[in-house]
Amino acid sequence: GRSHFMTISAGIALYPSQASNFGELLRKADAALHRAKQTGKTRCVLFDDSIQNDLIRRTELENGLRNAIENGEISVAYQPQIDLASGKAIGFEALARWNSRRYGAVSPGEFIPIAEESGQIAKIGFFVLRAAARFIKEAQAAGIEGFIVSVNVSVKQLRDDGFARDIVEIMRKEGVLHGRVTLEITESFMIENLAPIAEKLASLKAAGFSLSLDDFGKGYSSLSYLKGLPIDYIKIDKAFIDDITETENGRVLVNAIVSLSHRLGFTVVAEGVEDAAQVALLRDYGCDMIQGYYYAKPMADDLALAQLEKTFP
């Protein structure tokens, strides 16, 4: 007694012009299906050489990523986060970088989604966390205190039952207080059930970590996350920052996000800040912290610590 509606995405490969056997035909049709889903769903895509080239590159990157840490190809860079009131760097975001032996520098925008889809994101995430903890320890040994390091955590990692336990254990082994690390929740897909995620985040917050919602306003981000997740920081996505000097709507939206976040008790970080005009507007809106190429690109740990001595305009 109910009506049901379906949509269909299809990938098509042709025999014998595109494949000489069933296995090859199926692989190419599946690759075309993946392209159909990537480009909006509810459509058909016919396999072509560009799909083949993308498929080969993706497969090789996925395979190369599996041993990238062991091969010394993954490193961590640190981008300063500037307090707008004082002009001082009060924190850093730890960012994974991959310098592949075969492909050279691979963009995080390309390899992080592959890591998530192939189940390798936890391994990379823990590597970055350990590196960040050692960065903090080295700074402490040199008498440098008072900054926090943000580390990205994907929702796929949070769905692992042992994640909270593992992350606490890493910090214990490294001998770094939990309060020195902010966990940035990167939302790359819809959180359909907030309750279990919120419960794990609450346990991490109780353990002393601060929590940040990354890329707010982009993709699947929802106002329900502000109500349902026990977060401390909101990071406004670069796409919104780009618009504030271009459109009135962009300015209104960013101003509203800052105002709403403050009323809810959150600290606001703007990411992707690239020019002085953006800084001036964000200061007028009362944004707390900014991060972006205008002040500094991600850099090696020794160079990053030197940023703490500067006062940024």
Side-chain angles (χ1 to χ4, degrees):
R2 297 177 182 175
S3 297
H4 295 273
F5 300 91
M6 292 189 299
T7 61
I8 293 176
S9 299
I12 303 166
L14 303 178
Y15 172 87
S17 60
Q18 294 179 329
S20 59
N21 59 71
F22 178 77
E24 185 182 7
L25 191 69
L26 183 59
R27 283 193 299 274
K28 290 185 175 180
D30 189 53
L33 172 60
H34 185 70
R35 174 69 64 85
K37 291 178 177 179
Q38 279 185 321
T39 53
K41 302 184 178 180
T42 318
R43 55 184 313 210
C44 300
V45 170
L46 178 65
F47 184 87
D48 62 25
D49 288 341
S50 69
I51 295 175
Q52 173 77 0
N53 294 336
D54 289 348
L55 180 62
I56 290 171
R57 178 175 171 85
R58 189 198 182 287
T59 300
E60 291 181 347
L61 287 177
E62 179 181 333
N63 291 337
L65 201 54
R66 294 193 184 279
N67 297 312
I69 292 175
E70 291 78 3
N71 292 337
E73 298 174 15
I74 302 291
S75 61
V76 178
Y78 299 89
Q79 187 170 35
Q81 297 172 326
I82 313 302
D83 175 55
L84 268 178
S86 66
K88 292 290 188 178
I90 59 173
F92 300 94
E93 182 177 359
L95 298 161
R97 293 291 182 262
W98 183 19
N99 188 19
S100 165
R101 293 178 182 177
R102 177 165 187 175
Y103 288 104
V106 183
S107 164
E110 184 174 20
F111 78 80
I112 293 297
I114 292 174
E116 287 196 336
E117 292 170 19
S118 62
Q120 301 182 68
I121 192 64
K123 181 180 178 181
I124 294 172
F126 288 142
F127 174 84
V128 173
L129 178 64
R130 289 188 183 95
R134 290 165 189 162
F135 172 62
I136 292 169
K137 278 201 305 186
E138 289 170 4
Q140 286 175 332
I144 303 172
E145 302 268 2
F147 64 88
I148 292 176
V149 178
S150 299
V151 176
N152 291 297
V153 174
S154 79
V155 173
K156 283 195 173 183
Q157 288 175 270
L158 280 171
R159 284 179 172 161
D160 184 345
D161 290 338
F163 174 75
R165 179 192 66 242
D166 292 342
I167 205 167
V168 167
E169 180 63 11
I170 287 172
M171 297 296 288
R172 185 192 68 78
K173 286 184 176 179
E174 296 296 340
V176 174
L177 295 175
H178 301 166
R180 299 295 305 277
V181 171
T182 296
L183 303 177
E184 291 197 2
I185 314 307
T186 57
E187 182 43 40
S188 55
F189 52 92
M190 179 71 75
I191 304 176
E192 296 178 352
N193 186 358
L194 277 181
I197 299 296
E199 184 178 342
K200 289 176 183 176
L201 290 177
S203 69
L204 288 165
K205 188 168 182 177
F209 294 98
S210 53
L211 305 172
S212 175
L213 185 61
D214 196 14
D215 297 335
F216 183 75
K218 177 183 178 183
Y220 296 114
S221 292
S222 164
L223 290 176
S224 65
Y225 297 167
L226 302 186
K227 181 178 70 173
L229 299 178
I231 53 178
D232 303 287
Y233 297 88
I234 293 292
K235 291 193 77 174
I236 305 175
D237 185 70
K238 182 182 184 302
F240 284 82
I241 304 305
D242 289 342
D243 281 351
I244 62 174
T245 55
E246 303 294 332
T247 68
E248 179 63 23
N249 285 346
R251 289 186 283 276
V252 169
L253 280 171
V254 170
N255 197 3
I257 291 171
V258 173
S259 177
L260 175 63
S261 297
H262 283 164
R263 293 187 69 179
L264 291 171
F266 305 136
T267 298
V268 184
V269 184
E271 56 184 345
V273 178
E274 295 184 348
D275 61 52
Q278 292 171 345
V279 173
L281 284 170
L282 290 165
R283 184 175 281 115
D284 288 344
Y285 299 158
C287 185
D288 302 294
M289 297 163 63
I290 58 177
Q291 175 182 342
Y293 281 14
Y294 177 70
Y295 285 132
K297 295 182 179 180
M299 61 191 75
D301 50 6
D302 56 337
L303 295 175
L305 289 176
Q307 306 305 306
L308 295 170
E309 300 173 0
K310 297 181 179 180
T311 298
F312 295 86

